[in-house]
Amino acid sequence: MRLHDISKELFSSPVYPGDPVPEKAPFLSIEKGDVCNLTMLSMGSHNGTHLDAPRHFIADGRDVSDILLEKTIGLCKVVEAHGRLTSGQIEEWMSGRTKKLLIKGQIIVTPQAAKTMVQWGLELLGVEGQTVGEEGTQETVHRILLGAEVVILEGLVLEEPEPGSYFLAAQPLKMAGLDGSPIRPVLISTGEAMGKMHNV
């Protein structure tokens, strides 16, 4: 079994323009005579590698504490692409039993590609960029995916894993009312996972 950590270190990660910068400050410090170390955190819900919950763009959508965990855990497919995604690419990737898709490369999810993902029953989409869509379409793409309760993972690090089949664990923190959550997703490469998804 091999584990692939596909997350960014939070405090050194680029921040999406306009988002708050994550900060940390000591609250208790052994160095200053306290019994233990305890740190205060200040950050945005979409800093670093994170998960978008439907509530990010859907006013009454599920928050991160209410996301179905089976959508964030399970067999997934890693593919590689660059540039604007086409419906044909999506259909090819999802022609098997794929429900969770991680895309390696700098890509742009178009509204039509997002609609195709929903039509084919995608449960989770993961990308390396800090957002999906491009200027002028980000809101539309988010609304299409999140409106269908497709979980979105953003800020992934997929340099190491080769395209193929894996087991994914990418649960959000259980925080009621929040629209997003930092995550530390892991891909597990096992013979069993590969065997189960050989037709994907």
Side-chain angles (χ1 to χ4, degrees):
M1 181 176 71
R2 184 178 179 188
L3 301 181
H4 302 271
D5 181 349
I6 56 172
S7 67
K8 296 178 179 178
E9 194 284 317
L10 178 67
F11 295 101
S12 60
S13 297
V15 174
Y16 186 79
D19 280 6
V21 176
E23 298 179 343
K24 55 186 174 180
F27 183 73
L28 296 176
S29 171
I30 295 174
E31 195 174 285
K32 294 182 178 180
D34 295 315
V35 68
C36 65
N37 291 317
L38 183 64
T39 305
M40 293 186 297
L41 301 175
S42 173
M43 60 181 291
S45 53
H46 298 265
N47 287 152
T49 304
H50 64 277
L51 177 151
D52 286 1
R55 188 163 296 188
H56 187 32
F57 276 86
I58 311 299
D60 59 350
R62 291 181 187 268
D63 64 28
V64 294
S65 71
D66 199 31
I67 286 177
L68 301 177
L69 289 181
E70 53 263 38
K71 289 192 173 186
T72 68
I73 305 170
L75 298 175
C76 79
K77 187 174 187 178
V78 174
V79 299
E80 185 167 1
H82 301 276
R84 299 169 68 85
L85 299 184
T86 67
S87 292
Q89 286 174 299
I90 306 303
E91 291 171 356
E92 180 181 350
W93 293 332
M94 299 192 65
S95 59
R97 292 173 292 166
T98 302
K99 293 296 182 183
K100 299 173 179 60
L101 186 65
L102 307 185
I103 304 176
K104 179 176 183 174
Q106 297 305 308
I107 52 92
I108 295 172
V109 181
T110 64
Q112 187 55 52
K115 289 177 183 178
T116 303
M117 291 174 185
V118 171
Q119 290 167 359
W120 280 77
L122 188 69
E123 294 180 346
L124 177 146
L125 170 66
V127 299
E128 292 193 285
Q130 286 299 110
T131 188
V132 293
E134 59 185 329
E135 187 175 356
T137 68
Q138 288 179 12
E139 179 180 351
T140 300
V141 170
H142 276 92
R143 287 189 178 278
I144 291 169
L145 295 173
L146 296 177
E149 297 201 348
V150 177
V151 172
I152 303 174
L153 307 184
E154 296 170 332
L156 298 177
V157 179
L158 296 171
E159 294 177 6
E160 181 180 282
E162 294 294 330
S165 302
Y166 298 86
F167 189 93
L168 171 71
Q171 307 93 302
L173 298 179
K174 193 171 185 178
M175 299 183 289
L178 286 196
D179 47 84
S181 169
I183 56 172
R184 188 173 184 179
V186 173
L187 286 178
I188 304 172
S189 178
T190 67
E192 181 181 358
M194 298 295 282
K196 287 182 178 179
M197 294 191 70
H198 71 280
N199 290 323
V200 174

